[in-house]
Amino acid sequence: QVQLVESGGGLVQAGGSLRLSCAASGRTFSSYDMGWFRQAPGKEREFVAAISWSGDSTYYADSVKGRFTISRDNAKNTVYLQMNSLKPEDTAVYYCAATRLGPTPVYLEYDYWGQGTQVTVSS
């Protein structure tokens, strides 16, 4: 089992940057593919980015491509989401999740979820 705890959210002005972290418990973190999702009020949870267990493969939603970067440090059991050039439409609760089904954009294919961290981008 994997427990995930996100951190790094906050309030930032449009154009600013934030780095989210997701710390995982357990010694099997390096065998999991990881994803970031977000959910804004009144909207469905949407895929943001995913990374393979090795870190060799990454995938992004079109809406964040070129602005966000997902990475991981298996020695620290942590996955990161660097968010640059933030826009008000990036405002949401951001969740990290773990799966063994590959770095998939489908949230139903993730087995473990963190509690989320709020990101608010002001205009």
Side-chain angles (χ1 to χ4, degrees), residues 2 8 14 30 32 34 37 42-43 70 74-75 77 86 95 98 108 121:
V2 177
S30 61
Y32 283 88
M34 300 296 296
F37 291 77
K43 295 188 176 182
I70 188 171
N74 286 341
N77 279 13
L86 282 161
Y95 300 89
L108 291 175
V121 184

Side-chain angles (χ1 to χ4, degrees), residues 8-10 12 15-20 36 38 48 64 67-69 80-86 90 94 117-119 121:
V12 64
S17 298
L18 283 174
R19 188 176 83 153
L20 306 184
W36 285 98
R38 66 187 182 187
V48 175
V64 306
R67 300 189 297 124
F68 291 11
T69 302
Y80 305 98
L81 185 68
Q82 177 67 45
M83 305 186 296
N84 298 330
S85 302
L86 282 161
D90 294 319
Y94 283 70
T117 186
Q118 177 71 46
V119 171
V121 184

Side-chain angles (χ1 to χ4, degrees), residues 5-80:
V5 179
E6 301 96 335
S7 61
L11 173 64
V12 64
Q13 288 188 333
S17 298
L18 283 174
R19 188 176 83 153
L20 306 184
S21 299
C22 173
S25 65
R27 293 177 290 178
T28 59
F29 171 76
S30 61
S31 67
Y32 283 88
D33 306 291
M34 300 296 296
W36 285 98
F37 291 77
R38 66 187 182 187
Q39 189 166 18
K43 295 188 176 182
E44 293 187 354
R45 190 167 299 191
E46 65 170 347
F47 170 74
V48 175
I51 188 167
S52 61
W53 64 269
S54 65
D56 289 345
S57 299
T58 57
Y59 301 92
Y60 297 92
D62 287 343
S63 59
V64 306
K65 202 171 292 183
R67 300 189 297 124
F68 291 11
T69 302
I70 188 171
S71 62
R72 67 189 296 161
D73 186 337
N74 286 341
K76 296 182 177 180
N77 279 13
T78 302
V79 62
Y80 305 98

